[in-house]
Amino acid sequence: MADVTAAVTAIPLVPFAAFLVALLVGHYAPRALPKGGALPGIAATAISLVLSVWAFLTVGAGGATVSQVWTWVPAANDSFALTFGLLLDPLSALMVVVVSGVSLLVHVFSLGYMNDEGETGLARYYAGLGLFTASMLAFALASNLLQAFVFFELVGFCSWWLIGHWFREPGPASAAKKAFLVTRFGDYFLLVGLVGVLGTFGTAAFAGDASFPALAHAALEGEASVNTFGVDPATWFTILGLLILGGVIGKSAQFPLQTWLPDAMEGPTPVSALIHAATMVAAGVYLVARLYGFYALTPTALTVIALVGGFTALFAATMALVKREIKQVLAYSTISQYGYIMLGLGSGGYVAGVFHLLTHATFKALLFLGAGAVIIAMHHDEDMWKMGGLKDRMPTVYWAFLSGSLALAGIVPFAGFWSKDAVLHHALTVGLGGQPLVLFAYLMGLVAVAFTGFYTFRMVFLTFHGEPRSETARDADAASANMRVPVAILGVLAAVVGLVNVDPLKGVVGERLLFLERWLNGPLPGLAGATAEHYHELVVDVAGFHGATVSPVVSAVVSLVFALTGVALAWTWYNVPEPVEKTDALGPAKTVLYNNYYQDEFQTWLATGVTEPLANAVDVFDASVVDGVVNGVSSTSLVASDRLRRVQTGVVTTYTTQLVFGLVVLLLIVLLLGGWF
Amino acid sequence: MVPLEYYLLFSAAMFCIGVFGVLARRNALVYLMSVELMLNAANVVFVASSAHYGTISGQVFSLFTMALAAAEVAVGVGIVLVAYRKFKDIDITNPTSMRW
């Protein structure tokens, strides 16, 4: 299958070539670069998309494969090799299609958002997009944790690059730094976990019989032994899983490392759509899905994932309720939706989590691109209270945005309904099946559904309905074609993509129409350990997550009622010609929400109020006590030896005298101790 | 047979004469001779003890000591020659720069 490997290798390499073209031609011959690098980028992502779809079809025809592309460090003296490879299975095939598809649409949209607006630094912008796309595709196709880590860091670097596109202004520059540092904090845990995995198993491969999830399973069954450093294997695997989870929490903006994502909205809106909604933020949860054979072995890690997810879903949704800027609402909803994905994966719902990852990538990219079109029409004013009545000015964007909003709010039959409901249904069954903590996470997720409906439609009504509330909104121009087309494509997708897995209707339509579930179930010749069916067995047998029987329809109706309540409340308050800020009634609570529970202030206080005094105290201790001891020893010996060296006169007779004196003293001691006197 | 104590006393006296020479004499050759005296005081004890206890090892050690003494004199006389070339004298208090 050499040709498959070559073609799949080209999926990340083609955007990388576009990155090089934009970088080098943009530097040496900027005028020769068509559209500032947009056209090479569009061509490259289109090629990647075609290859990805072909790879997707190959997998569908039974062509799932693992191959090794490059050996970084060869194995020596019973040590292990560090390699780069490709893992083409249903999950990665799905992911590369999503990534290259969204990337292509974002490139096209950028023609309208960046080029037509006369932005400078276009070569830099498109080079960043190209490198990001290449890294993200290589991450999705990674065959081992080390390679995944390398590209995990690269997408983080590209995120810094693109958030700071307008680096001459203080806001984007500081937001870029914050995004880089906060995600890096999580990545330290991932790096420690990676070293732990390599030290424990001697391999970091994701799939196959010699992969570390398979070895971990065998070790738990007592069929293989691995070096767990004297710790009980189950405990040790939980520790490793939680360490890796640190990187996931940083990258997927989960509590408590989510503060960077709202700030990242300082970047250009297409970047927000591509990186901070659809793909890079998905890298975290994708890693959990990729390692599902490992996480399914440790119920503790799964419960932590579910709790973090459920809590983040609710926590972020409350903050989205009161935001004024359209992109801020979307940023918090992104955090909240990734919380749902974590909830789904943590409660053992691998298919549900991946499903929500897929639908969320579609409708959130749509919402961001729609918001980008609105922001251009509003001349970069993002305050929703200055918008209003835009639906007559930009009907295409309005209808597409409405489709995405219905999907986000989880209204039947749009995409988000099916996937969010699959997540919630799964969490409910597992929660009722004897996992009270998962049930608690489910309840948080359920309450967040109502909040989601409310803030989504508050945003829609404030932006598009009612009377225009500013001169800019009154004179807003319609979006140009290169912005309308991507938005329209995604608008259609957001309406229909949920139909690939109509989970609540399982009893009505039968398993036949659950395309995604069948897709992820395999069968995979040679990769039996990477199917959803196998993961499900692990979750039940090893982690002990038994699902209670709850009709999917009941769960769906409950969450739909919650969503509709939120939407109805938004309707009555904000779908009027002259809406007012009803959330003011929350009083001081609103201030707390608007300031994100003062988390930024808390983190700054952690740095200046705790870490800095502690560092100063340690510095004082170091300078006085530690250095004092060292300096004292050295000055004592200096003074003492300065005195002592004076016995060396250089005259041989003196030395002889000293020798004889010493001999006499020794003799006296011997004689005294011998009792001669 | 002469008792062992006599040899020991004789050896101690020889050693003390050597020590006195080392401490009091400034002529380098006399100094070396004094060192030889001390070494041979030790030899006397070795041989006497060997005869007294009827073992051969003391005599073997005395041979070692003689070889050692020969080597030491070769080095010592070399140093004396160098000192003479430098100071036109063999007074051992002349070289004083062998220190810190």
Side-chain angles (χ1 to χ4, degrees), chain A residues 645-646 648-653 655-657 660 663, chain B residues 15 19 22-23 31 92-93 95-100:
Chain A
R645 69 178 184 179
R646 293 180 198 285
Q648 302 255 332
T649 58
V651 181
V652 179
T653 321
Y655 301 150
T656 326
T657 316
V660 171
L663 177 68
Chain B
F15 188 83
V19 168
V22 159
L23 290 177
Y31 191 92
I92 52 161
T93 53
T96 54
S97 57
M98 293 186 295
R99 56 182 174 127
W100 38 273

Side-chain angles (χ1 to χ4, degrees), chain A residues 597-622:
Chain A
Y597 296 94
Y598 297 103
Q599 284 177 97
D600 285 325
E601 285 76 4
F602 173 68
Q603 285 173 356
T604 314
W605 175 80
L606 270 186
T608 58
V610 178
T611 313
E612 207 177 356
L614 188 67
N616 283 334
V618 171
D619 185 48
V620 167
F621 178 80
D622 184 48

Side-chain angles (χ1 to χ4, degrees), chain A residues 360-452:
Chain A
H360 176 260
T362 317
F363 66 70
K364 193 49 67 67
L366 161 67
L367 288 174
F368 266 109
L369 293 185
V374 168
I375 289 167
I376 288 296
M378 292 293 296
H379 302 294
H380 287 274
D381 191 344
E382 299 183 11
D383 190 344
M384 292 191 293
W385 289 100
K386 293 185 182 151
M387 299 178 186
L390 288 176
K391 74 177 160 143
D392 304 323
R393 299 275 168 189
M394 30 194 0
T396 318
V397 172
Y398 169 66
W399 288 111
F401 200 87
L402 190 63
S403 160
S405 301
L406 288 166
L408 172 59
I411 306 297
V412 71
F414 289 85
F417 167 75
W418 305 105
S419 56
K420 188 189 288 178
D421 189 70
V423 165
L424 289 173
H425 174 240
H426 210 98
L428 179 61
T429 54
V430 170
L432 290 178
Q435 300 290 336
L437 289 173
V438 176
L439 190 64
F440 179 58
Y442 162 77
L443 290 177
M444 290 193 286
L446 188 64
V447 174
V449 169
F451 289 175
T452 310

Side-chain angles (χ1 to χ4, degrees), chain A residues 231-253:
Chain A
V231 186
D232 172 50
T235 317
W236 180 242
F237 297 156
T238 306
I239 293 172
L240 286 179
L242 291 178
L243 281 171
I244 296 171
L245 193 63
V248 171
I249 285 176
K251 209 59 128 200
S252 281

Side-chain angles (χ1 to χ4, degrees), chain A residues 219-289:
Chain A
L220 284 183
E221 301 280 309
E223 292 159 5
S225 69
V226 292
N227 175 17
T228 56
F229 303 96
V231 186
D232 172 50
T235 317
W236 180 242
F237 297 156
T238 306
I239 293 172
L240 286 179
L242 291 178
L243 281 171
I244 296 171
L245 193 63
V248 171
I249 285 176
K251 209 59 128 200
S252 281
Q254 298 296 296
F255 181 82
L257 297 182
Q258 87 286 22
T259 49
W260 66 272
L261 187 67
D263 287 32
M265 297 300 130
E266 294 278 357
T269 308
V271 169
S272 309
L274 176 63
I275 300 187
H276 306 119
T279 58
M280 187 194 85
V281 190
V285 289
Y286 179 80
L287 195 61
V288 175

Side-chain angles (χ1 to χ4, degrees), chain A residues 561-592:
Chain A
V561 166
F562 270 78
L564 286 173
T565 312
V567 174
L569 195 60
W571 181 289
T572 45
W573 282 357
Y574 295 108
N575 192 19
V576 290
E578 299 288 341
V580 289
E581 278 200 72
K582 293 280 188 186
T583 46
D584 280 345
L586 289 170
K590 184 193 168 175
T591 321
V592 172

